[in-house]
Amino acid sequence: MAFSVSTKASIFPTLPSNSDHGYSRKLFFSKPPSLFQPPFLKSLKCVQSLSPDSKPSPSSSPFACSAVSFPSSAAAAAELVPARLQQLITEYGSLTEPSDRVKRLMGYAALLPPFPDASRVALNRVMGCTAQVWLETRIDEEGRMRFLVDSDSEITRGLCACLIWLLDGAAPADVLSLKTEDLAVLNFGLPGTQRSRANTWLNVLVSMQKRTKKLLAEREGKMFEPFPSLMITSDGIDAKGSYAEAQARFLFPDESKVEELVNVLKEKEIGVVAHFYMDPEVQGVLTAAQKHWPHIHISDSLVMADSAVKMAEAGCKFITVLGVDFMSENVRAILDQAGFAEVGVYRMSEDRIGCSLADAASTPAYMNYLKEASMSPPSLHVIYINTSLETKAYSHELVPTITCTSSNVVQTVLQAFAEIPDLKIWYGPDTYMGANIAKLFQQMTFMTDEEITEMHPAHNADTIRSLLPRLHYFQDGSCIVHHLFGHEVVQKINDMYGDAFLTAHLEVPGEMFSLAMEAKRRGMGVVGSTQNILDFIKQRVQESLDRNVSDHLQFVLGTESGMVTAIVAAVRKLLGSSTTSSEKAKVKVEIVFPVSADSISQTSTRSPQGVESVQLGDIILPVIPGVASGEGCSIHGGCASCPYMKMNSLNSLLKVCHQLPDEDNIIAPYEAERFKTRTLSGKEIADVGCEPILHMRHFQAKKEMPEKLVDHILHQHGNLGS
């Protein structure tokens, strides 16, 4: 006998008759009796799906029972998952009222089989769900996937019931072939703040797939070696793997070094601006020293110069810059612009502290790229802030230029296109970021106008489609760290960490970008700047603490590993300040480093004799194999740390500070350069190079392109600044 629902068929179909050839008569939800014996399936009785008002209606069409197993034929079975998904989509599409959809979902919650209390453990938790969700996975004797799932939320239970109906009993290949975007088309009618629950079944699906891969690998005798990681709790830090141990070594710095640094900074009134990618030893000491000296700032490159100006205003006589050379150049120029020419600015090495990305923008190829732009007005050059002041100056004289960062580049491009008709944008020098921006805009063409308007109010699907042919990006520039997020690393992340939170800098290659963007769509990822990554991790940790349940949050760090010091400090502060009502609630935060066991140690231009080199594009790095120092990049495609950034050592910082004021010019090579050369039009490099930065400042403050820049674009063949 089959039950019915009012006017619409339910996703839970009737048991096939004897004429349904090729189908097994076994229960679809079948499990060993010890695990679960759902009463609604005993004796092959059909499952009753509820109508929106939860009352069966005799006038409705018949529907089948979920007691159907997958077909014994592999080909037929492969077709059943998409067929059932389509049936689910059709059913929910037929319910026009959101309230009816939610009621139907609540009805399905009652159909979930019981979940063993003993299995409600942290190991079975699904990350990224608003409610608590537990999942058990196994492969049965016929090689089919079997899933048990439960939640402390009825809505979430209903979502999980739909997934169980789709996949329980399916072949592993069919489980793995289902994509989150296949499910994203469903609208369950969840209002307002409850919409995040719709991400639940996407995250449960990803978790099912990850566990399926693991079970298949175990059955085939394959072993997955995990990436190194740091586990942070309120009780302390646990490092897993030699690379993580090297990073953790300096999270608790030598107090004598902290005291020495604080004393010399106070005595000589020195400010410190440092990038997030610093060596962990340096960051550990700086983070501890911040408690005793306020003029220490660790950030991304955008605000380093601003912080230096504030330090000069507070009375600092010297600024030490821990970063690559273009960062110290920018600090020097901005201080001069702000009227603090007397404040000394010092780098951390007598050698050049380069940057592969900045170097790419100084090549003849990049100038040829801009010459093409100059011959195609109206054009705007959007240049990444991680370039030299000299490059910004020469570029700006050739093509109207505005600086951007990884956190504001998308809004900068969209705003410029919105304000200037027929504009062509030439982005550079980061090839991966340019390709990722283009890919993002291509994805936006499939979004609704309402979704696009949320990203930028002046755009819709038509305007996004129209701008794509006018968006250009440089084809030969990359950061040597983010360049190494290649296929092998992405594949391992997908196999082992697919259900973790994924963080990725906008500079990563397209494969990693796509993976992180998919995670972002279901609330499990972030793509952006280093500050965006830090903010995302802090937000997810705070949300977990607010739920006041034991939790294990796993974050894959898709950027330079120097970020870990700032992350650990922020997470420990949150865990330490938490005042949960339950002593049993323990939140564990794991930071995963996607780096292989083989890495490249930090190096300089003066490498020991006999050390081999590795070529990455046009850049040759002398390297020392091994992970003893915990620095460098994986030769097999892992993220680790920038060898240029690691030229900023603690010893160098102390040496410079103790030597100041440098009356005998002993550390003259460490002083940040003031440009003595002029542009082709005879103007000061610093004056012209700062203008694109000031344009960006205007955009950030006013949310519109500066009038001077717009006029320059529309009258490109006039003189700069006229």
Side-chain angles (χ1 to χ4, degrees):
M1 172 184 177
F3 294 100
S4 59
V5 295
S6 61
T7 68
K8 307 297 178 185
S10 165
I11 61 169
F12 294 93
T14 55
L15 185 68
S17 66
N18 292 333
S19 62
D20 289 330
H21 300 295
Y23 283 76
S24 165
R25 297 300 301 271
K26 297 173 69 175
L27 293 181
F28 171 62
F29 279 113
S30 60
K31 296 280 181 184
S34 60
L35 285 180
F36 95 75
Q37 292 179 317
F40 52 84
L41 288 181
K42 287 182 179 179
S43 305
L44 294 182
K45 291 182 179 178
C46 290
V47 178
Q48 176 182 349
S49 178
L50 304 179
S51 62
D53 58 4
S54 299
K55 295 177 181 178
S57 169
S59 62
S60 57
S61 59
F63 70 98
C65 178
S66 66
V68 179
S69 177
F70 276 71
S72 55
S73 160
E79 295 176 359
L80 194 54
V81 171
R84 286 190 167 182
L85 177 59
Q86 187 55 51
Q87 193 174 350
L88 185 61
I89 293 170
T90 301
E91 176 178 355
Y92 270 90
S94 69
L95 299 174
T96 56
E97 293 297 324
S99 60
D100 288 345
R101 296 181 180 192
V102 174
K103 288 177 182 177
R104 179 66 59 87
L105 200 62
M106 298 289 282
Y108 293 152
L111 304 180
L112 266 183
F115 193 87
D117 288 338
S119 297
R120 299 176 196 276
V121 294
L123 187 64
N124 289 334
R125 282 281 302 280
V126 177
M127 277 187 283
C129 299
T130 305
Q132 293 189 87
V133 181
W134 298 271
L135 172 67
E136 273 198 341
T137 308
R138 69 181 182 89
I139 301 179
D140 69 15
E141 61 279 359
E142 294 180 1
R144 307 286 180 105
M145 296 310 303
R146 295 299 182 180
F147 302 104
L148 273 176
V149 65
D150 200 10
S151 174
D152 59 358
S153 158
E154 286 302 297
I155 287 179
T156 302
R157 283 170 55 82
L159 292 167
C160 291
C162 294
L163 265 182
I164 290 290
W165 181 75
L166 282 171
L167 295 176
D168 186 61
D174 297 331
V175 174
L176 298 177
S177 66
L178 192 61
K179 301 184 183 302
T180 55
E181 48 263 42
D182 296 334
L183 306 183
V185 297
L186 273 154
N187 179 358
F188 290 106
L190 300 178
T193 57
Q194 294 191 62
R195 285 179 187 157
S196 59
R197 293 191 187 274
N199 286 327
T200 292
W201 80 324
L202 304 182
N203 293 332
V204 174
L205 170 63
V206 170
S207 195
M208 285 176 164
Q209 292 173 330
K210 174 198 167 180
R211 298 178 196 202
T212 296
K213 291 175 184 177
K214 182 180 179 182
L215 289 173
L216 287 175
E218 290 174 353
R219 192 171 66 169
E220 296 169 5
K222 296 178 182 177
M223 294 296 293
F224 282 135
E225 182 182 351
F227 286 128
S229 67
L230 285 178
M231 187 73 76
I232 312 164
T233 67
S234 57
D235 299 324
I237 298 171
D238 180 32
K240 300 177 182 178
S242 58
Y243 186 84
E245 290 169 1
Q247 301 299 307
R249 190 177 304 135
F250 300 111
L251 292 174
F252 303 96
D254 184 337
E255 288 298 328
S256 64
K257 293 291 185 184
V258 175
E259 184 179 2
E260 179 185 357
L261 179 63
V262 169
N263 288 341
V264 70
L265 293 178
K266 287 181 176 180
E267 176 191 348
K268 302 189 177 184
E269 298 176 285
I270 302 171
V272 181
V273 291
H275 194 272
F276 278 132
Y277 291 172
M278 284 303 96
D279 180 277
E281 179 184 21
V282 178
Q283 285 210 53
V285 170
L286 288 178
T287 301
Q290 281 177 318
K291 301 172 185 175
H292 310 287
W293 180 241
H295 306 304
I296 298 173
H297 188 81
I298 305 170
S299 68
D300 58 19
S301 56
L302 173 62
V303 294
M304 288 173 69
D306 293 342
S307 299
V309 171
K310 291 177 182 177
M311 292 173 187
E313 290 172 343
C316 288
K317 297 177 180 177
F318 307 97
I319 303 294
T320 52
V321 181
L322 282 77
V324 295
D325 282 347
F326 74 77
M327 296 176 184
S328 57
E329 291 170 6
N330 286 348
V331 168
R332 174 71 279 162
I334 296 297
L335 281 172
D336 289 347
Q337 293 268 330
F340 294 103
E342 77 283 358
V343 174
V345 178
Y346 287 85
R347 307 154 56 245
M348 292 298 107
S349 176
E350 59 184 328
D351 295 326
R352 174 179 175 272
I353 308 177
C355 168
S356 60
L357 200 55
D359 292 345
S362 302
T363 61
Y366 198 74
M367 288 299 109
N368 290 336
Y369 168 71
L370 293 182
K371 285 178 183 176
E372 182 184 354
S374 69
M375 293 184 289
S376 185
S379 284
L380 172 65
H381 175 218
V382 179
I383 189 170
Y384 194 25
I385 195 169
N386 291 2
T387 49
S388 71
L389 207 64
E390 199 169 22
T391 295
K392 293 181 180 75
Y394 290 140
S395 298
H396 195 36
E397 287 213 330
L398 200 54
V399 187
T401 298
I402 185 171
T403 304
C404 73
T405 71
S406 50
S407 59
N408 68 22
V409 61
V410 172
Q411 291 299 315
T412 300
V413 171
L414 289 175
Q415 183 63 30
F417 273 129
E419 286 191 39
I420 305 169
D422 303 318
L423 178 69
K424 302 173 188 69
I425 285 185
W426 306 74
Y427 170 80
D430 193 304
T431 302
Y432 291 135
M433 189 182 293
N436 292 340
I437 294 167
K439 184 179 293 185
L440 173 63
F441 290 164
Q442 287 165 357
Q443 292 174 355
M444 287 174 67
T445 63
F446 298 100
M447 296 166 60
T448 66
D449 286 348
E450 291 76 14
E451 290 171 330
I452 294 172
T453 300
E454 286 182 10
M455 295 185 66
H456 194 285
H459 285 283
N460 54 43
D462 289 336
T463 63
I464 298 298
R465 274 190 288 269
S466 71
L467 66 80
L468 279 170
R470 295 180 281 123
L471 174 65
H472 308 269
Y473 60 90
F474 186 56
Q475 299 290 323
D476 194 23
S478 65
C479 165
I480 65 172
V481 171
H482 296 116
H483 172 69
L484 296 177
F485 283 91
H487 174 75
E488 291 182 14
V489 165
V490 170
Q491 187 61 49
K492 189 169 180 179
I493 291 173
N494 212 8
D495 288 342
M496 294 188 63
Y497 300 94
D499 60 347
F501 293 100
L502 301 185
T503 72
H505 198 280
L506 199 54
E507 295 176 29
V508 298
E511 204 173 359
M512 181 68 179
F513 171 80
S514 296
L515 194 66
M517 282 297 291
E518 187 280 326
K520 183 177 185 291
R521 283 191 290 271
R522 52 190 172 86
M524 292 293 292
V526 62
V527 179
S529 67
T530 48
Q531 188 63 52
N532 295 148
I533 290 172
L534 180 60
D535 291 343
F536 174 80
I537 293 174
K538 289 164 60 177
Q539 180 184 358
R540 291 296 180 266
V541 172
Q542 186 60 60
E543 288 171 354
S544 179
L545 291 171
D546 291 343
R547 286 195 292 268
N548 194 26
V549 294
S550 296
D551 215 348
H552 175 196
L553 308 180
Q554 192 177 55
F555 296 90
V556 177
L557 186 61
T559 189
E560 217 270 2
S561 61
M563 272 293 295
V564 74
T565 307
I567 292 170
V568 169
V571 170
R572 294 192 72 206
K573 183 177 181 180
L574 288 173
L575 297 181
S577 62
S578 172
T579 54
T580 57
S581 59
S582 171
E583 293 184 1
K584 295 181 180 179
K586 296 289 185 181
V587 175
K588 298 189 292 184
V589 179
E590 185 176 8
I591 308 299
V592 177
F593 302 98
V595 56
S596 78
D598 300 312
S599 69
I600 298 171
S601 294
Q602 80 95 18
T603 184
S604 73
T605 55
R606 301 178 177 181
S607 295
Q609 243 184 348
V611 173
E612 297 180 357
S613 297
V614 163
Q615 183 163 352
L616 298 170
D618 295 330
I619 303 204
I620 297 177
L621 293 175
V623 299
I624 306 170
V627 295
S629 65
E631 298 169 303
C633 299
S634 163
I635 58 177
H636 297 300
C639 124
S641 47
C642 174
Y644 296 120
M645 286 288 191
K646 298 309 177 284
M647 294 171 70
N648 295 268
S649 68
L650 179 60
N651 287 339
S652 292
L653 176 59
L654 290 170
K655 173 184 175 179
V656 168
C657 290
H658 283 301
Q659 189 60 44
L660 293 174
D662 187 29
E663 296 172 353
D664 299 324
N665 291 327
I666 294 174
I667 56 172
Y670 290 74
E671 192 164 6
E673 181 181 5
R674 268 195 181 94
F675 290 100
K676 301 178 179 64
T677 56
R678 293 177 177 268
T679 66
L680 294 177
S681 64
K683 297 186 177 182
E684 294 281 351
I685 290 285
D687 291 341
V688 182
C690 281
E691 192 159 316
I693 300 175
L694 296 176
H695 287 333
M696 179 185 68
R697 301 289 190 209
H698 177 98
F699 168 67
Q700 288 181 300
K702 306 292 186 181
K703 305 306 178 187
E704 63 183 15
M705 292 292 109
E707 185 178 340
K708 183 177 182 180
L709 177 61
V710 173
D711 184 66
H712 187 193
I713 293 169
L714 297 177
H715 303 87
Q716 248 171 274
H717 297 295
N719 292 325
L720 177 66
S722 62

